Amino acid sequence: MISYPFIKIITLTLGTLALRIPSFDSMEGWLMSMDKISIFDTTLRDGEQSPGCSMDLDEKLRMARQLEHLGVDIIEAGFPIASDGDFEAVRAVAAACRKVTVAALCRTLAPDVARAAEALARAAHPRIHTVVATSDIHLEHKLRKTRSEVIEMTRASVRMARNFAEEVEFSAEDATRSDIDYLCEVLSVAVDEGASVINVPDTVGYTLPSEYSRLVATVRERVVGDRDVTISVHCHNDLGLAVANSLAAIEAGARQVECTINGIGERAGNASLEELVMAMHVRADQLSFENNIDTRQLYPTSQLLSAIIGSELQPNKAIVGRNAFAHEAGIHQHGVINNPLCYEIMTPESVGVMNNSLVLGKHSGRHALALRYEGLGYSLTQAELNGAYSRFTELADRKKRIYDQDLISLLSAEAKTRPEIVLV
Ligand code: KIV
Ligand code: ZN
């Protein structure tokens, strides 16, 4: 695969030499688009359908606007046939978000496709996303359909959807537990009928990175070939592997990744958008792919979602959890104070967290304490710091978390009355 930096060097060199062959611009676009990962956010659909995560119309709109601001490429706004509320939400998001693609989910049934198309009528960039299961267990126990019936449903629904929208995505639900030959047959029918995005979801969070990578490579070879079709991945987190599986799939050729803010979604959730994006950002040396996300909007977006659905994130949640940039052990704090790179692989600012909260507890050291006092406006002499530190360790033995107001009360009377740094 040609890496982005390599393309960039060629581009710049040719540009500098003014070697402008006629199709150069389009070739540059083509080369670069090879390495662009489209971020398909399904917070408002897969995320919202999980327990405790429902949102009303206004909340969905607020979230959709923030997702657009964050830079996602596609917002899956709902499943219009499921309820009038979902229908209205898709309609409203389609009208409000003009820069992104707005997708609506439907089963491979004519009334579903028609309802999705109706909900998307005002979208600037509509996408109909049609789905049917392909695993034998789903065919037998859920759909009660034969393999050939599902093939015909795929054919008819993609054909119908293409009459309404340029862009049609087809998903083979439970792809990772489907017979590979049959899966490829169904996906090929979808592509023949005009689907430009084919999704191979790990619906039950069952697959492993190496296995998923082989699946994507097989689909790429046997279904896509040289056709202009994007392979999408959609991973659930039942084994805690959703992000790892998605990254493995990207390395194998997937160019769209479906994910949610804070990883919300059915059961254990979906791949978390912030984790995927920051993995690609921090490890660009290994994963040289581009995306449109403004990483500084990750934390504000996560906070907005938490506020809307009224649920607190686990403190140790990667990237956006309260403790994601917190350091308690003295040896870590000392290192971070000297140089954050000692223990931080990304800056808090890069994900929109404005300051590094060194959590003060019984393992904390003098360096962190002095720094926190400085932040509070107190510049202590060594003797004052020593006194405060001994009272601090005493308190920390009794109290799990020490807050700023505790620190001020620990100061000697003299130090207390003499804040030297004026806080504005
Ligand atoms: O998990 C799944 O398979 C889905 C599909 C609708 C893509 O959510
Ligand atoms: Zn899903």
Side-chain angles (χ1 to χ4, degrees):
M1 185 194 306
I2 306 173
S3 73
Y4 175 67
F6 180 65
I7 294 165
K8 200 73 201 166
I9 290 167
I10 296 177
T11 305
L12 290 173
T13 310
L14 292 180
T16 312
L17 295 173
L19 278 176
R20 302 199 63 80
I21 51 176
S23 59
F24 180 70
D25 283 339
S26 57
M27 187 175 81
E28 181 194 27
W30 175 76
L31 286 169
M32 286 185 177
S33 73
M34 278 176 62
D35 287 329
K36 155 102 196 294
I37 304 298
S38 293
I39 305 292
F40 177 114
D41 182 278
T42 184
T43 305
L44 300 180
R45 199 279 298 167
D46 210 325
E48 203 259 354
Q49 76 192 39
S50 61
C53 294
S54 58
M55 297 173 226
D56 66 23
L57 183 65
D58 279 354
E59 293 168 336
K60 282 193 176 177
L61 262 177
R62 266 168 67 207
M63 200 60 215
R65 289 202 176 94
Q66 178 60 27
L67 289 170
E68 190 170 44
H69 191 49
L70 172 68
V72 307
D73 299 281
I74 302 110
I75 295 176
E76 184 165 56
F79 183 10
I81 196 97
S83 69
D84 289 347
D86 256 43
F87 177 83
E88 290 306 335
V90 174
R91 257 171 71 79
V93 171
C97 299
R98 314 299 297 167
K99 287 194 303 215
V100 289
T101 294
V102 178
L105 184 68
C106 56
R107 292 166 300 183
T108 50
L109 302 170
D112 279 46
V113 177
R115 193 75 172 143
E118 197 186 341
L120 289 171
R122 295 188 291 181
H125 309 283
R127 178 186 292 185
I128 297 180
H129 177 194
T130 185
V131 59
V132 69
T134 49
S135 65
D136 288 335
I137 188 164
H138 277 235
L139 262 64
E140 191 182 333
H141 299 282
K142 188 183 81 173
L143 298 175
R144 297 187 195 286
K145 299 279 181 203
T146 63
R147 286 187 174 191
S148 49
E149 283 171 323
V150 166
I151 288 192
E152 285 321 308
M153 288 162 76
T154 301
R155 194 189 309 283
S157 65
V158 175
R159 188 175 292 177
M160 180 177 172
R162 282 289 276 110
N163 287 329
F164 290 113
E166 260 300 294
E167 220 172 87
V168 172
E169 172 170 341
F170 173 78
S171 282
E173 191 188 4
D174 208 14
T176 52
R177 293 191 302 168
S178 302
D179 172 69
I180 185 75
D181 293 332
Y182 179 62
L183 174 67
C184 288
E185 197 182 338
V186 177
L187 292 173
S188 297
V189 167
V191 172
D192 291 346
E193 291 299 333
S196 54
V197 182
I198 48 172
N199 185 28
V200 284
D202 184 28
T203 303
V204 291
Y206 174 73
T207 199
L208 302 174
S210 54
E211 184 183 55
Y212 202 41
S213 162
R214 283 196 298 277
L215 175 66
V216 169
T218 304
V219 168
R220 193 178 174 190
E221 192 187 304
R222 286 169 54 178
V223 179
V224 176
D226 57 9
R227 297 191 278 189
D228 187 14
V229 169
T230 302
I231 299 177
S232 176
V233 288
H234 174 115
C235 295
H236 280 269
N237 206 29
D238 300 67
L239 293 174
L241 292 172
V243 170
N245 287 334
S246 304
L247 293 174
I250 287 171
E251 288 188 285
R255 289 294 175 266
Q256 175 179 286
V257 65
E258 307 194 359
C259 47
T260 59
I261 299 297
N262 297 343
I264 66 168
E266 285 282 8
R267 306 180 310 281
N270 287 71
S272 136
L273 183 150
E274 54 279 2
E275 292 175 23
L276 276 167
V277 166
M278 289 314 288
M280 287 190 270
H281 189 86
V282 171
R283 297 309 311 270
D285 58 321
Q286 296 291 316
L287 300 161
S288 61
F289 304 103
E290 283 208 306
N291 61 67
N292 286 339
I293 299 293
D294 176 356
T295 62
R296 290 159 312 166
Q297 290 299 322
L298 290 171
Y299 183 71
T301 311
S302 160
Q303 288 293 298
L304 176 64
L305 178 66
S306 297
I308 286 175
I309 63 178
S311 94
E312 272 221 6
L313 273 179
Q314 71 195 72
N316 60 330
K317 166 77 177 64
I319 318 295
V320 288
R322 185 173 2 106
N323 291 351
F325 296 96
H327 308 273
E328 181 165 341
I331 188 168
H332 285 212
Q333 292 178 336
H334 192 177
V336 166
I337 291 163
N338 289 342
N339 184 342
L341 287 177
C342 289
Y343 287 101
E344 286 179 354
I345 57 170
M346 62 197 124
T347 64
E349 293 78 12
S350 68
V351 300
V353 173
M354 274 318 146
N355 57 45
N356 179 342
S357 52
L358 293 175
V359 175
L360 294 174
K362 67 177 181 181
H363 303 293
S364 303
R366 277 184 181 72
H367 285 92
L369 190 64
L371 198 72
R372 179 67 64 85
Y373 274 124
E374 267 177 46
L376 289 169
Y378 296 89
S379 179
L380 305 184
T381 64
Q382 194 58 48
E384 286 165 349
L385 179 63
N386 288 345
Y389 185 68
S390 96
R391 288 187 288 279
F392 163 78
T393 50
E394 214 178 281
L395 181 65
D397 264 334
R398 289 183 277 119
K399 201 164 182 267
K400 225 176 170 172
R401 283 285 297 269
I402 310 280
Y403 297 101
D404 291 343
Q405 66 215 57
D406 301 315
L407 296 183
I408 294 168
S409 64
L410 289 179
L411 287 173
S412 66
E414 194 202 344
K416 240 185 236 173
T417 55
R418 178 175 61 71
E420 289 190 357
I421 303 163
V422 178
L423 297 174
V424 287

